[in-house]
Amino acid sequence: RMIAEILPALVKEQDTKDVKQVTRAVIYGAFVEREFQLKKDKLRNGSSGIVISNDFDEVSSFQRFSMELAANMFVLRTNSVMTQGIDYRFEKNLKDHWDRFFGNHNVTLVASRFGAPIINIGRQRAFRHKSLLEYFAAKMLVQELENSIKHGEQVDISSFINRRAVHEEPSVPSFMLDIVATNSPLKDA
């Protein structure tokens, strides 16, 4: 469904019929951008019930939250997260790993979480599709690699990838390659 909705617009936008230039990461990027714009509109028109300041950068915040969450889920090898309400825990267990994403009621975090493509079923949280988790995890890893290189660190890319067990989920390195090939400073590195 995503491809059927996004691909024709991408091909038209690029003013070309060469679909080979449109990678999986480009399709996901366009899909996510459209989703983020819809969520931004809901935040701004007040239908979300969340009141945010005028200087809040919705799309950037949605993206950052999604990348951070996906990277954490990827590293911990989980496709979904079970949140725990305060009434389910003893006082000494009030901070679990996922509280920083789902247990914090800071308005900026709530708004960022609102824009992320996640589903809530009871206390269960997950990306709407596993491939979205993989896409955002790949974006986070590419950004981490770009930042390391930008700060002058010597980076052995195969070691970088192996340390993060990226090879265990083949679609993550595939997304990483697509992201680098289309719009990353690493493309020319």
Side-chain angles (χ1 to χ4, degrees):
R1 184 178 143 225
M2 181 189 320
I3 291 174
E5 291 176 12
I6 299 297
L7 190 58
L10 283 174
V11 170
K12 185 177 180 182
E13 180 182 296
Q14 291 188 355
D15 197 28
T16 179
K17 296 296 179 202
D18 187 5
V19 179
K20 292 178 186 174
Q21 294 177 8
V22 180
T23 66
R24 186 172 171 220
V26 169
I27 292 169
Y28 274 74
F31 173 78
V32 164
E33 187 177 315
R34 186 185 72 182
E35 293 291 306
F36 285 170
Q37 190 59 49
L38 292 171
K39 294 288 186 144
K40 175 183 176 179
D41 294 346
K42 284 184 178 182
L43 269 178
R44 288 294 169 188
N45 72 22
S47 66
S48 68
I50 302 168
V51 178
I52 55 170
S53 66
N54 288 334
D55 64 344
F56 180 69
D57 184 353
E58 297 89 345
V59 174
S60 175
S61 191
F62 299 161
Q63 179 92 347
R64 188 79 200 153
F65 179 88
S66 299
M67 288 168 54
E68 290 275 344
L69 178 61
N72 276 268
M73 291 173 75
F74 178 74
V75 166
L76 295 174
R77 294 180 173 93
T78 185
N79 293 327
S80 65
V81 173
M82 181 67 75
T83 60
Q84 299 180 20
I86 263 198
D87 52 329
Y88 296 109
R89 296 181 271 173
F90 293 108
E91 193 170 317
K92 65 179 179 178
N93 298 329
L94 287 181
K95 288 285 182 194
D96 79 359
H97 182 79
W98 305 108
D99 280 351
R100 73 184 193 129
F101 296 101
F102 302 107
N104 187 330
H105 299 293
N106 170 293
V107 71
T108 301
L109 184 65
V110 170
S112 300
R113 187 171 52 230
F114 172 78
I118 54 178
I119 55 172
N120 305 316
I121 302 171
R123 293 182 302 139
Q124 195 79 19
R125 307 289 183 265
F127 280 90
R128 288 194 333 227
H129 193 274
K130 185 179 178 216
S131 60
L132 287 167
L133 183 153
E134 296 160 349
Y135 169 75
F136 284 115
K139 281 190 69 76
M140 187 69 169
L141 290 168
V142 168
Q143 184 179 67
E144 183 182 319
L145 188 57
E146 289 170 348
N147 288 339
S148 295
I149 291 171
K150 185 168 77 173
H151 290 96
E153 297 174 28
Q154 291 291 347
V155 178
D156 175 18
I157 293 179
S158 63
S159 173
F160 175 88
I161 288 171
N162 289 335
R163 280 195 322 265
R164 287 151 185 83
V166 172
H167 61 281
E168 292 179 15
E169 190 61 59
S171 59
V172 173
S174 174
F175 269 127
M176 289 175 73
L177 289 171
D178 283 354
I179 292 165
V180 168
T182 55
N183 62 356
S184 170
L186 297 174
K187 181 179 181 180
D188 301 323

